[in-house]
Amino acid sequence: MREILWARMTAPELRAAAGQDTLVILPVASLEQHGPHLATGTDTYLGEAVAARTAEKLMAAGKPVVVLPVVWHGLAEHHMQFGGTITLDQPVFLAVLRSIARSVFRHGFTRLMLLNAHGGNTEAIGVAVTEIGNEHPGCQVAGGTYWLVAPEVFEGILEDQPGLMHACEAETAMMMHVTQGTVRMERLAEAFGPHAHRPAAQPRALYFRRSFFDMTPTGVVGDARRASPEKGAAALEALGVRLAEILGEPALWGSAAGAKLTPP
């Protein structure tokens, strides 16, 4: 299989890839607390793994793709109270993404996917897609948080929650599979919390600034105690397959100008 990691490729190889309508995937993550049992680099490890597995599936289907090194610093102010967290502010975060995109497009690539692996980045990723798209009208940019783009992949894999939360069954299982020695198994019995990121009275579209500590003193949303490496392997594989299906669809990158409207 051809090399898919930007950092392992030479400049001539990347120049050649740019002329082949190659999709560039930029994993975007965070360095932050993940409860008593998971490493602060959880989102970074998982962002890299999901991006790589997706790229492998795309390449196997004959779709050229390159994966950039992960942006490990994100918007994590809401985790700062726990310690162990590094955060940017929004202007700096958006400037980093815009600068990377500018470099990618200057080299001749025309398609970029911002593959987000941290919930605190979600809204800012949407803003970045708009800003980068406005700055580069001849190029195409997409962005999304992997478990929100493909939420259905967790059905039948997780036992105690419907999807990915935070330091939960899903993230813990994938970390058990992706890494060695980063999950503190002796602390797993403590790794549970509420199954929601917001109070029941708060509608999903109503925004508040809340510290994660106010929602969950353990730093966990969900329940990690049923996690296993087998669940993690199944989730990562399913994510790679589904995201490759989505990103590999030519109609996703086509113009909407000639699309027919579907009646309500």
Side-chain angles (χ1 to χ4, degrees):
M1 182 178 291
R2 199 191 79 183
E3 182 61 66
I4 58 173
L5 299 181
W6 183 296
R8 291 175 58 90
M9 297 173 69
T10 66
E13 289 168 347
L14 285 162
R15 288 198 300 271
Q20 299 169 0
D21 191 32
T22 297
L23 172 64
V24 178
I25 298 178
L26 175 63
V28 185
S30 182
L31 187 66
E32 65 188 39
Q33 74 83 25
H34 270 78
H37 66 301
L38 287 185
T40 55
T42 290
D43 289 346
T44 295
Y45 284 117
L46 296 185
E48 289 177 325
V50 171
R53 186 60 55 90
T54 300
E56 290 167 3
K57 300 299 182 184
L58 284 166
M59 188 65 73
K63 311 284 187 179
V65 60
V66 172
V67 180
L68 282 161
V70 65
V71 175
W72 61 262
H73 29 37
L75 301 174
E77 178 62 38
H78 50 302
H79 290 291
M80 288 293 287
Q81 194 169 351
F82 287 95
T85 298
I86 302 296
T87 189
L88 300 181
D89 57 32
Q90 283 213 35
V92 173
F93 179 68
L94 292 171
V96 168
L97 298 183
R98 290 177 66 178
S99 295
I100 294 172
R102 195 175 296 127
S103 297
V104 167
F105 294 144
R106 283 182 64 185
H107 294 315
F109 295 95
T110 59
R111 295 190 297 145
L112 175 65
M113 171 64 187
L114 307 179
L115 186 59
N116 181 44
H118 167 54
N121 294 340
T122 299
E123 288 80 11
I125 289 292
V127 173
V129 167
T130 299
E131 290 194 357
I132 294 168
N134 289 341
E135 186 176 346
H136 303 277
C139 299
Q140 295 169 302
V141 58
T145 302
Y146 71 79
W147 65 87
L148 299 178
V149 174
E152 68 276 10
V153 304
F154 296 102
E155 295 176 10
I157 297 175
L158 305 180
E159 296 180 71
D160 288 330
Q161 50 190 77
L164 190 145
M165 295 178 180
H166 183 77
C168 59
E169 183 181 0
E171 286 195 322
T172 302
M174 287 194 288
M175 284 293 283
M176 288 175 171
H177 170 65
V178 168
T179 67
Q180 296 292 326
T182 65
V183 181
R184 301 332 192 238
M185 298 300 296
E186 72 278 8
R187 304 293 300 272
L188 197 59
E190 309 166 49
F192 63 93
H195 276 55
H197 290 83
R198 60 180 60 81
Q202 182 181 340
R204 187 171 185 83
L206 183 62
Y207 291 93
F208 276 83
R209 188 278 176 194
R210 299 185 191 278
S211 168
F212 230 66
F213 189 83
D214 295 333
M215 295 182 277
T216 168
T218 64
V220 178
V221 174
D223 194 334
R225 292 174 293 182
R226 293 274 189 95
S228 71
E230 293 75 21
K231 289 179 183 177
L236 182 60
E237 177 68 11
L239 283 164
V241 169
R242 182 63 185 129
L243 290 170
E245 288 175 349
I246 294 169
L247 297 178
E249 173 55 57
L252 179 70
W253 303 97
S255 170
K260 295 182 179 179
L261 295 178
T262 302

